Amino acid sequence: MTISSAATPSRRVLGLLLPTGHRLILVSALTVLSALLPTSAQAAEPGWFWNRPHCDTVYGDGSVTITETDGEILAPTTGKLRAVTYAKVAALQEPNTLISIGQQTIQRSSDAGCSWQLLDKTPDDLSTYDVQPGPGDSAYVYSVNDQPIYRVHGGRVSAVLGPVEWHGLAALDARPGRLRVVSGDGQLYDSTDDGASWQRVGVPAARNLFLYDAAVDPRNPDHIVIGVSSNGVYTTFDGGRTWTQSRPVERVNAFTVVMSPADPSKVWMEGYDRDRATRFIWESTDGGLKFREVLDQSRATLINGNHLWASPTDPDLLYFSYGTSFANFGADLYRFVPSTGALTKHHNRNDGIPSLAFNPANPQILYLGLAEER
């Protein structure tokens, strides 16, 4: 197709021969359009196409709720959570999509958490399992104690065995074309066929380790921090080829570790100092090599394994929780700023908050996986 004008000089644009005046209009329109679209860097951010949840009530079984007030006000749910459930939730890269697990169910939301649909029922109790987002619309459900690994790809769920028979995983990291896991003894394994086969990577940090938890750097999968029984924390920056025992927490039961997605040099660990018989939250600012105490159990209810969640955008913001059904106590959600020590908490009647996920479009919107023990 050719558009021409005898009176006006013309240029070829996008395969069309346009008059110069028309070309300027077209270029101006394209300039405006390009300003409205994300750049390549912005397009890599999962929150670009996410929405805030447009609902006052969550339509589901009661296992996941939403808060925009750090837990002070929780969105009501249409269903009542059944015992015994420890729900976990993850926000995926796929816009407005979340995956949750509880009891023997894997559920999905496609509207930013407003409603939930059953994807699959599993033969296994998922109480000790966690859910980790992968690329696109994928997620992986795994346990530190149990097999198998459940793979969620869109609306399909399948199962695959992990790398060590009868043993679970302390962490799973999923990127395009590769899975990397940390087994319960500290050995790393990679898979390039979605878990059908596994290859050993590096060496364990030490012999006869028992891992409680592990964290993989979201920017660099060769940077990994593990929390172990009795001997504190070990860190690798070269994919497990060499490890360094962190100082001065060599005699700590390191129950929980988390790394800041906003700044992976920030690592937090919650554990029990055996020498002082006291629980602390420690902070590292060098990727996990050295730690300092930032909170002790005199200011917050710390147990053997409080769940920790680091803000995806603020490297100086940490959430953690405590909850129990004993004496109908309920659950507390803490908001902690380590640099200043500022600590707030909000209480609710649930038996716990085993999981928290951030809305990628607005990290002040939190999705809480809830517990029901009675």
Side-chain angles (χ1 to χ4, degrees), residues 34 72 75 91 123 141 151 171 187 211 246 285 304 311 319 341 349:
S34 65
E72 182 179 9
V141 179
R151 305 173 299 185
Q187 177 65 56
L211 267 67
S246 306
T285 59
N304 293 350
S311 166
Y319 290 88
R349 296 182 179 179

Side-chain angles (χ1 to χ4, degrees), residues 189-205:
Y189 294 88
D190 282 357
S191 175
T192 56
D193 53 14
D194 205 29
S197 62
W198 297 93
Q199 299 78 45
R200 187 186 298 262
V201 178
V203 297

Side-chain angles (χ1 to χ4, degrees), residues 51-64:
N51 299 325
R52 63 180 296 119
H54 296 291
C55 56
D56 296 323
T57 300
V58 176
Y59 290 79
D61 64 359
S63 61
V64 178

Side-chain angles (χ1 to χ4, degrees), residues 12-78:
R12 186 171 295 276
V13 180
L14 299 177
L16 300 179
L17 191 64
L18 296 179
T20 301
H22 292 184
R23 183 182 71 84
L24 292 174
I25 294 173
L26 175 61
V27 171
S28 297
L30 290 174
T31 300
V32 173
L33 180 60
S34 65
L36 295 175
L37 292 175
T39 65
S40 58
Q42 290 172 321
E45 297 294 329
W48 178 264
F49 294 108
W50 265 73
N51 299 325
R52 63 180 296 119
H54 296 291
C55 56
D56 296 323
T57 300
V58 176
Y59 290 79
D61 64 359
S63 61
V64 178
T65 186
I66 303 170
T67 179
E68 299 187 36
T69 57
D70 293 330
E72 182 179 9
I73 301 173
L74 305 184
T77 62
T78 57

